[in-house]
Amino acid sequence: MKYKNVLTPSDLGLMLINRNDSIIGPTISQVGSWEAKYIRVLKQILERHYPPHEALDIVDGGANYGVYSLAFASVPMRPTRIHAVEAQRLIFQMLNANMALNSLENVWTYHAAIDEESGRTIRITPPDLNHRANFGAFEIPENVRSSDYDGTRFMPEETVRTLSIDDLGLSRCALIKLDVEGMEASAFKGAMETIRRDRPVLFFERHKADYEDIQRTLRPHGYTLWELDQANVIATRSEWELSLTPARPVQLS
């Protein structure tokens, strides 16, 4: 297919997607966004618990095409600095295109895999984007629990560097969103300085993660975990008066 990357209108602006993507791309084309209900809830939490006009850092880990980056880069009455990290090189190129297409100057992008430590080199065999698959489900680690990547065609082996959230040099982190397909526990361990200092809202998937390890990591920091549908979790400060429904709260103590 000559032109596998195509432009599509979305609720967040014009976006470049891959027509062979079986999940996120067509959802953006058909309904205008991706995970809009989670974005809405996260925005409401930030609006309620952070003063207006306060500049906030937001981490979009596993940014893919950049839906979360686009959504949080333009928040009314609030300056934000978005740090978007994507490990798949060709998807990373589309992420950059989408930031440029929408003239966003407050987004920093990183071609890296979020991990516990920065500077390591990981060898990956990325998906071949010329063949249909759920590219957003691609997993870097081997033997991921509950693996659901359905692709069967791959590109030649490449390398990608690792990057810890603590090494991003954030000033006031309000939200860490992780969609890193089994690397969540390591990613949080690489964010402990940020979490201790800022206690940001955390949003992540649990079905591929070492969820028990994540709970142990977060336990000293006073979080309540809200288990949502589709195996997603929002973690918020336990002292905040929140009621997220439908969700099951898990109090870490």
Side-chain angles (χ1 to χ4, degrees), residues 1-252:
M1 183 177 296
K2 184 177 180 181
Y3 296 111
K4 58 181 177 292
N5 296 334
V6 295
L7 290 173
T8 186
S10 80
D11 295 343
L12 303 167
L14 196 60
M15 293 189 68
L16 188 69
I17 63 169
N18 185 293
R19 68 171 71 204
N20 296 316
D21 185 359
S22 62
I23 300 295
I24 298 178
T27 301
I28 293 171
S29 293
Q30 293 164 17
V31 304
S33 189
W34 169 255
E35 296 191 339
K37 64 180 179 180
Y38 300 133
I39 290 171
R40 183 169 57 252
V41 169
L42 292 169
K43 283 185 173 181
Q44 289 171 349
I45 293 172
L46 297 187
E47 289 169 4
R48 178 175 178 180
H49 293 282
Y50 290 89
H53 308 290
E54 182 178 5
L56 301 177
D57 287 299
I58 293 172
V59 177
D60 184 1
N64 199 268
Y65 299 129
V67 169
Y68 278 80
S69 294
L70 289 169
F72 284 94
S74 302
V75 179
M77 307 295 293
R78 185 183 298 283
T80 55
R81 297 177 293 261
I82 313 301
H83 303 266
V85 188
E86 174 55 46
Q88 295 186 58
R89 177 175 57 86
L90 297 183
I91 300 292
F92 175 72
Q93 292 174 0
M94 285 185 276
L95 165 67
N96 283 300
N98 288 330
M99 300 307 108
L101 281 168
N102 291 281
S103 301
L104 294 175
E105 299 179 353
N106 59 329
V107 180
W108 286 258
T109 62
Y110 310 81
H111 178 217
I114 292 185
D115 202 1
E116 185 172 355
E117 297 179 351
S118 296
R120 293 195 303 115
T121 297
I122 298 178
R123 294 186 177 276
I124 66 172
T125 307
D128 185 340
L129 304 192
N130 294 290
H131 300 273
R132 187 171 178 78
N134 178 11
F135 303 130
F138 172 69
E139 301 140 359
I140 292 177
E142 297 181 357
N143 303 315
V144 172
R145 64 172 69 183
S146 303
S147 173
D148 60 2
Y149 179 61
D150 57 357
T152 58
R153 304 289 290 271
F154 297 89
M155 295 171 58
E157 185 180 82
E158 300 181 3
T159 60
V160 63
R161 67 185 178 92
T162 62
L163 177 65
S164 75
I165 291 172
D166 283 341
D167 284 339
L168 290 173
L170 309 181
S171 299
R172 182 73 168 98
C173 184
L175 171 64
I176 296 174
K177 167 262 180 183
L178 293 178
D179 188 357
V180 290
E181 307 302 320
M183 297 183 70
E184 291 81 2
S186 296
F188 281 129
K189 289 177 181 176
M192 292 318 301
E193 179 182 335
T194 303
I195 289 172
R196 279 194 295 267
R197 183 190 68 228
D198 295 333
R199 295 177 69 207
V201 177
L202 311 173
F203 177 58
F204 61 97
E205 292 182 328
R206 69 180 186 272
H207 68 295
K208 295 184 183 181
D210 187 338
Y211 191 36
E212 296 78 13
D213 192 19
I214 291 172
Q215 292 186 45
R216 287 191 295 269
T217 298
L218 298 180
R219 183 165 287 115
H221 304 289
Y223 277 97
T224 296
L225 306 184
W226 300 89
E227 296 180 351
L228 310 173
D229 58 353
Q230 304 298 317
N232 288 292
V233 177
I234 295 177
T236 59
R237 301 183 192 186
S238 295
E239 67 269 23
W240 286 353
E241 295 182 1
L242 282 177
S243 180
L244 302 183
T245 55
R248 187 176 78 89
V250 178
Q251 187 78 38
L252 298 181

